[in-house]
Amino acid sequence: MDSLSSGLVAAVLQRLHQEAEAADAPLMQAYMSEATNGEVIGQFIEAETKDLTGLYRGLAGNFLNVSPEFGRFLYMCARSCKAKRIVEFGSSMGISAIYTAAALRDMGGGRLIGTDLEPSKVARAQANVAAAGLADLVEFRVGDARETLKPGVGGDIDMVMLDGAFILYLPILKLLEPHLKPGAMIIGENAFEEGSAYIDYVRDPQNGYLSLPLPFDPGRGNEFTVKTK
């Protein structure tokens, strides 16, 4: 069974990608017309460091979502590792959550725990996941992930999706590390080297990972990591 090719999930994703393109086009054009990709990343990192909550509150109307190709990759990763528990940092409007929750549904069930700093985005993510018929598989937590994920996620983690504030990738990974199964997949979208020491950390085998950049969506800083210890 493949929920991405036809049916309710496929229809909802098509609609959401169209909405996201329309919502985010002005923002993307504004940034890309003023700076190179490296300068844009630097601007975001500086803004996150200065006022994390304020920055993302200002982006509450933007999807900042994964591409359809990246979403299919997430679905395939979840299927490949037979995931039962997935954690997502930076759920935004719920597009990536739909891809991974659809994989859980197609494998017979599981749990996705997502978290986002912005309450209005979580409300929209919940509505979008429900529209796709996947609400029973997904729990969203509102607030700073360093706090929302601290109580735990109810068991061992098969897969992690990192797509939130660039500067928090390494702190969030270290928070989740005790719960990662050997062989767990960690997928970083926008895992930029400039953002934190995350890339250096996961590419050092001494830390218990093997990691490589992903070739699609060039310039997005996509990274694929496997827990080896």
Side-chain angles (χ1 to χ4, degrees):
M1 183 177 178
D2 165 19
S3 295
L4 301 188
S5 297
S6 62
L8 180 61
V9 170
V12 170
L13 284 171
Q14 182 179 23
R15 171 178 63 81
L16 290 175
H17 278 296
Q18 291 172 347
E19 292 179 7
E21 184 175 358
D24 289 3
L27 177 68
M28 297 300 107
Q29 291 171 1
Y31 270 105
M32 299 318 294
S33 65
E34 296 176 0
T36 65
N37 190 53
E39 290 172 333
V40 170
I41 297 166
Q43 290 172 9
F44 259 89
I45 291 169
E46 182 179 354
E48 287 179 349
T49 303
K50 183 178 180 180
D51 184 5
L52 185 69
T53 301
L55 171 64
Y56 285 98
R57 183 172 295 129
L59 296 170
N62 295 103
F63 282 71
L64 307 175
N65 58 291
V66 300
S67 69
E69 185 177 23
F70 196 92
R72 291 178 73 86
F73 177 73
L74 291 175
Y75 175 93
M76 292 166 66
C77 285
R79 294 289 302 256
S80 296
C81 71
K82 297 180 173 60
K84 289 297 181 183
R85 184 173 286 103
I86 302 172
V87 176
E88 179 182 68
F89 163 56
S91 295
S92 191
M93 309 295 194
I95 289 180
S96 54
I98 291 173
Y99 280 104
T100 51
L104 294 176
R105 169 75 77 220
D106 290 348
M107 293 186 293
R111 196 71 176 161
L112 168 65
I113 297 169
T115 183
D116 201 275
L117 189 62
E118 176 55 41
S120 64
K121 282 195 168 184
V122 170
R124 291 184 66 177
Q126 289 171 327
N128 291 331
V129 167
L134 301 167
D136 60 309
L137 300 167
V138 183
E139 172 194 345
F140 288 114
R141 301 178 183 181
V142 182
D144 189 318
R146 291 169 291 186
E147 298 302 322
T148 62
L149 296 176
K150 188 181 293 184
V153 294
D156 292 338
I157 301 169
D158 301 292
M159 179 174 159
V160 175
M161 167 63 170
L162 299 173
D163 192 17
F166 306 158
I167 61 174
L168 296 185
Y169 280 32
L170 185 54
I172 297 304
L173 177 64
K174 288 188 173 182
L175 180 63
L176 297 175
E177 264 183 342
H179 309 290
L180 294 177
K181 286 184 178 180
M185 296 181 180
I186 303 97
I187 299 101
E189 212 248 0
N190 298 326
F192 298 112
E193 293 186 29
E194 300 92 336
S196 68
Y198 175 79
I199 291 296
D200 289 339
Y201 185 79
V202 295
R203 291 185 185 173
D204 183 350
Q206 295 299 315
N207 294 320
Y209 299 95
L210 286 178
S211 192
L212 289 170
L214 292 167
F216 53 84
D217 291 346
R220 293 282 289 266
N222 297 328
E223 186 83 5
F224 177 70
T225 304
V226 173
K227 179 69 174 173
T228 56
K229 289 185 179 178

